[in-house]
Amino acid sequence: MIKKHYLLLFVSLLLVSCHTQKIGIDEMDLSSMEIGRGAIQVGKSTSGNPLTVGGKVFQKGIGTRAISKYLIRLDGKAVNFSAKVGIDDSSRGRGGAKFYILGDKKILWESMVMHKGDTAVDINVPIKKIMKLAMYVAEDGGTPYADWIEPSITYHGDVPVPLAFKIDSSYILTPPVANAPRINGPRVTGATPGRPFLFRVPVTGKPPIDVSLTNLPAGLNWDPESKVISGTAPAKGEYVVKITAKNEVGSAEKDLKIITGKGLALTPPLGWNSWNCWGLSVDQEKVKASADAMVSSGLADHGWTNINIDDGWEAPERKPDGELLANNKFPDMKALGDYIHNYGLKLGIYSSPGPKTCGGFLASYQHELQDVKTWEKWGVDYLKYDWCSYRTIEPKPDLNARKKPYILMRKMLDKSKRDVVYSLCQYGAGDVWRWGADIGGNLWRTTGDITDTWRSLSTIGFAQDTISPFAGPGHWNDPDMLIVGKVGWGPQLHASRLTPDEQFTHISLWSLLAAPMLIGCDMSQMDAFTLSLLTNDEVLEVNQDPLGKQAVPVKKDTGFQIWSRPLEDGSLAVGIFSTASASTVEAINWGEKSTTNKIRVDWSLLGISGTHKVRDLWRQKDLGDLADGFEAEVPYHGVVLIKIFK
Ligand code: GLA
């Protein structure tokens, strides 16, 4: 009897272990799937149309766009991967792409270069013993819509799961905030005489910290509790305010120069914008939560200041008198402005010169002054002015027509009783860097929209070199907003698809470029790594250096680039970047720490000689007095950021 039981148990165990199961990849959590641009679609092409390849429509599958990657964890007991692949018929352009299946750092299967119109190709790949499986669409002359039709895995053991790259604290380089007081933020700030002035003094250290000011010009008040200077900007001039911060551990001093009558944004704006996280789903609560998080996370104590609402706040119709209202997601803009200002932070808003914004909301065409006056009531300190739908007014704009709406809005902003930082957003058209400052812009986008891929980051960031001379205090090249942390451009967020090293490259490069930095993630969901990237005071000091000189590359070579920027104190900030273009296998982030390359910087390359003190800015560590040059160990797609003293 007992024997019979054992036999039954044995047979059923055997049956269970041999029982092959099948999972559709489209049933899995796809939030870690990388897509070149746009959003992954299940059961549809990324264009939103039915999945259609070579004229044939398919019901099941995943619509993505090159470059696309997805990593799956297996347990070595999976059997087979199968799918059909092809370029969707709704894809625009003629560009091609290649599909790959990789397993444990080997190519298991690859397609020919596929184009729109090609018949879908069958994949059937044995995946026995594989632990990490990657589905990869590489570009080949384009970034077309790429479809995985009925992709599935058959397996015996554990259910396949997405392998999302976990960034733990071992990647953090920024040292913990010291107990001794440190006064952070810009060393210079601009304002217009007679207009409202607001400046939060960013200080870190062990609380309680006693912060006091001397030489504060008349008209300005200091609140040591909130650490906010407010009041009315004094007459044209330069005022040096001495800030002292003391706690039980020590004390710190710093001069803040308030320059009135010489423009705004004398250092690049540092803040947050709603677009890269919330897209059009932004609402009042999300904006309030962002202001709360900027303060509670400590970001405000490192100099982050702006809370900017991007597209999606506007009501569907103006009032009969033409006044623009906020939509019902923003019940009280004035109260929201006050809420932000109470922290000593600043409020930003978005509009466009045409009748509609890029998101299809109402924009400012023929209501420019009225809108400026509305924003004045709400307490707006910053305007991002997009180009969208102006083409309906000027279908073939020449240079003057390109400038016209921006000049008009500048004139209207000058009629505001408030200081408004003016951000032009027309993606670099008409070489905006050549005229952006002349028409009174404080910053101007230099490219199309960024997204959280290495391709987007590196093509935008490393292409900013020739326009470097056009940046300076009060007028900055803007290579678009940050893509670290949880981003998503809509209600669903995902962790940035950049590797930790790519994220170091991002913040280092934007600091060297003297680029405006607007955080694009949900600040209320930041992990320790993201926070560490945004709170390294020595890196931020490079970004905020009052000289305002944008870095230039001193060497661009295969696989690496060296960029250098002079700082006000006579030192140089130098970024040594590994830009190696990836082999197919290396293009996949296998979830392991990157290998490093040795890259040497000879002082002669930087126009200096002799021995210089060198400091690693991310680690905030002196590397010694080095003669002739420095050899850095640079991780793949990463950076070593140093300061070379005079
Ligand atoms: C454009 C801009 C983005 C964002 C959206 C809003 O695409 O470049 O940064 O402002 O419009 O619709």
Side-chain angles (χ1 to χ4, degrees):
M1 195 63 181
I2 293 175
K3 266 191 191 159
K4 210 171 164 187
H5 267 119
Y6 272 121
L7 194 66
L8 267 175
L9 192 68
F10 177 69
V11 171
S12 44
L13 276 175
L14 201 71
L15 278 176
V16 167
S17 65
C18 292
H19 181 61
T20 306
Q21 313 220 51
K22 188 169 174 176
I23 183 168
I25 311 292
D26 51 345
E27 294 155 29
M28 292 171 58
D29 173 3
L30 298 175
S31 57
S32 58
M33 182 180 269
E34 186 174 317
I35 177 166
R37 186 160 289 284
I40 309 285
Q41 300 269 8
V42 173
K44 280 189 242 162
S45 155
T46 183
S47 63
N49 297 329
L51 293 160
T52 315
V53 179
K56 204 168 162 197
V57 178
F58 299 90
Q59 299 306 320
K60 266 179 79 65
I62 303 166
T64 184
R65 180 173 187 177
I67 303 167
S68 172
K69 303 170 192 170
Y70 189 52
L71 206 60
I72 301 168
R73 182 187 295 288
L74 304 173
D75 62 351
K77 292 185 195 140
V79 186
N80 197 69
F81 175 93
S82 74
K84 287 183 175 42
V85 290
I87 305 303
D88 197 273
D89 285 2
S90 65
S91 195
R92 280 177 250 141
R94 312 194 129 260
K98 269 186 94 162
F99 292 76
Y100 290 89
I101 296 297
L102 297 101
D104 295 343
K105 297 196 180 170
K106 288 199 183 76
I107 298 175
L108 305 180
W109 182 90
E110 65 189 288
S111 71
M112 307 283 282
V113 178
M114 298 195 69
H115 293 95
K116 181 170 151 176
D118 292 349
T119 314
V121 171
D122 280 309
I123 311 181
N124 240 309
V125 193
I127 50 174
K128 278 198 185 116
K129 300 215 172 90
I130 297 294
M131 306 297 287
K132 289 178 181 176
L133 186 79
M135 296 160 63
Y136 175 34
V137 190
E139 63 165 344
D140 200 306
T143 54
Y145 302 155
D147 298 342
W148 295 91
I149 312 288
E150 295 153 17
S152 67
I153 292 176
T154 44
Y155 63 99
H156 287 315
D158 294 345
V159 185
V161 285
L163 178 57
F165 194 37
K166 287 267 174 298
I167 303 178
D168 59 28
S169 51
S170 69
Y171 288 93
I172 294 176
L173 296 181
T174 305
V177 170
N179 281 333
R182 193 180 196 286
I183 304 162
N184 305 308
R187 281 186 276 147
V188 51
T189 188
T192 308
R195 296 221 182 125
F197 182 92
L198 189 72
F199 185 92
R200 184 185 164 107
V201 176
V203 182
T204 49
K206 189 174 177 205
I209 311 176
D210 177 34
V211 184
S212 57
L213 307 187
T214 48
N215 297 338
L216 195 65
L220 296 185
N221 309 304
W222 168 236
D223 176 11
E225 221 25 69
S226 61
K227 303 194 176 59
V228 174
I229 307 173
S230 61
T232 304
K236 187 168 178 176
E238 290 195 12
Y239 305 85
V240 180
V241 178
K242 190 167 279 309
I243 309 171
T244 309
K246 282 191 187 139
N247 67 4
E248 63 173 57
V249 188
S251 70
E253 281 193 350
K254 181 168 169 174
D255 285 346
L256 171 70
K257 205 186 267 180
I258 300 175
I259 303 181
T260 52
K262 287 210 173 147
L264 310 177
L266 301 183
T267 62
L270 283 186
W272 173 86
N273 172 293
S274 56
W275 185 249
N276 288 358
C277 45
W278 302 120
L280 296 175
S281 74
V282 63
D283 62 33
Q284 175 177 285
E285 290 320 305
K286 288 178 175 132
V287 175
K288 271 175 130 175
S290 305
D292 295 344
M294 187 174 268
V295 174
S296 63
S297 66
L299 281 170
D301 298 330
H302 296 271
W304 298 87
T305 304
N306 286 94
I307 296 287
N308 293 356
I309 306 168
D310 208 284
D311 204 356
W313 62 266
E314 310 86 339
E317 276 177 47
R318 290 178 180 268
K319 274 178 36 180
D321 67 358
E323 187 183 332
L324 181 55
L325 302 170
N327 58 39
N328 54 18
K329 295 187 293 162
F330 289 90
D332 193 341
M333 277 289 203
K334 164 85 175 77
L336 183 58
D338 290 346
Y339 188 87
I340 289 167
H341 290 149
N342 276 339
Y343 282 128
L345 305 177
K346 303 210 172 167
L347 168 68
I349 204 97
Y350 165 97
S351 191
S352 297
K356 290 278 167 70
T357 66
C358 298
F361 286 76
L362 278 185
S364 295
Y365 183 59
Q366 292 185 327
H367 291 275
E368 293 81 1
L369 182 59
Q370 199 172 20
D371 290 354
V372 165
K373 288 289 162 190
T374 302
W375 300 329
E376 181 187 281
K377 274 195 296 189
W378 296 347
V380 165
D381 306 292
Y382 184 115
L383 170 67
K384 172 174 171 185
Y385 207 41
D386 215 324
W387 170 260
C388 276
S389 90
Y390 198 73
R391 274 200 184 265
T392 59
I393 313 298
E394 280 287 359
K396 286 193 177 150
D398 61 10
L399 191 56
N400 280 333
R402 284 194 184 287
K403 292 180 184 175
K404 195 172 148 195
Y406 292 97
I407 294 173
L408 175 65
M409 180 48 86
R410 173 74 265 169
K411 281 199 185 125
M412 299 308 133
L413 287 174
D414 289 341
K415 295 184 190 200
S416 174
K417 294 195 184 95
R418 298 185 63 81
D419 272 343
V420 181
V421 169
Y422 187 27
S423 152
L424 318 186
C425 178
Q426 39 81 290
Y427 337 115
D431 290 354
V432 60
W433 40 88
R434 297 188 184 278
W435 48 269
D438 296 341
I439 64 137
N442 295 114
L443 56 148
W444 45 81
R445 278 273 297 280
T446 57
T447 68
D449 291 11
I450 199 166
T451 187
D452 58 326
T453 64
W454 170 250
R455 181 189 158 84
S456 174
L457 166 68
S458 59
T459 37
I460 290 179
F462 292 117
Q464 302 293 310
D465 43 352
T466 52
I467 60 177
S468 174
F470 301 100
H475 50 95
W476 309 101
N477 290 315
D478 174 9
D480 209 0
M481 302 176 286
L482 302 185
I483 40 164
V484 301
K486 287 205 162 180
V487 292
W489 294 269
Q492 297 298 332
L493 303 187
H494 61 259
S496 172
R497 287 155 185 154
L498 299 178
T499 67
D501 287 310
E502 291 166 353
Q503 300 191 40
F504 280 116
T505 288
H506 187 15
I507 305 299
S508 305
L509 187 54
W510 264 235
S511 294
L512 286 164
L513 293 174
M517 292 208 286
L518 293 171
I519 296 170
C521 70
D522 178 2
M523 293 186 291
S524 65
Q525 293 188 54
M526 268 183 307
D527 57 16
F529 176 73
T530 308
L531 190 63
S532 79
L533 282 171
L534 301 171
T535 53
N536 190 311
D537 299 310
E538 297 197 18
V539 175
L540 291 173
E541 250 169 22
V542 173
N543 178 275
Q544 292 292 298
D545 187 72
L547 197 59
K549 276 256 178 229
Q550 179 174 325
V552 288
V554 293
K555 188 148 183 115
K556 278 192 169 191
D557 214 321
T558 339
F560 75 96
Q561 299 197 11
I562 300 169
W563 289 61
S564 164
R565 158 176 190 184
L567 302 176
E568 198 193 33
D569 64 2
S571 63
L572 293 175
V574 176
I576 308 151
F577 297 93
S578 154
T579 54
S581 59
S583 68
T584 305
V585 167
E586 280 173 320
I588 304 298
N589 177 5
W590 295 97
E592 292 155 16
K593 284 220 162 132
S594 314
T595 48
T596 57
N597 280 327
K598 281 193 167 53
I599 303 172
R600 187 176 163 81
V601 193
D602 284 317
W603 289 169
S604 57
L605 208 58
L606 303 167
I608 56 175
S609 57
T611 300
H612 293 270
K613 182 178 144 186
V614 177
R615 189 166 168 82
D616 181 323
L617 294 182
W618 279 106
R619 294 175 179 81
Q620 301 187 358
K621 236 189 188 158
D622 287 339
L623 299 174
D625 295 318
L626 304 183
D628 308 324
F630 167 64
E631 191 167 74
E633 284 276 356
V634 191
Y636 178 74
H637 283 185
V639 59
V640 171
L641 183 65
I642 55 172
K643 180 164 172 169
I644 305 174
F645 288 78
K646 255 207 273 195

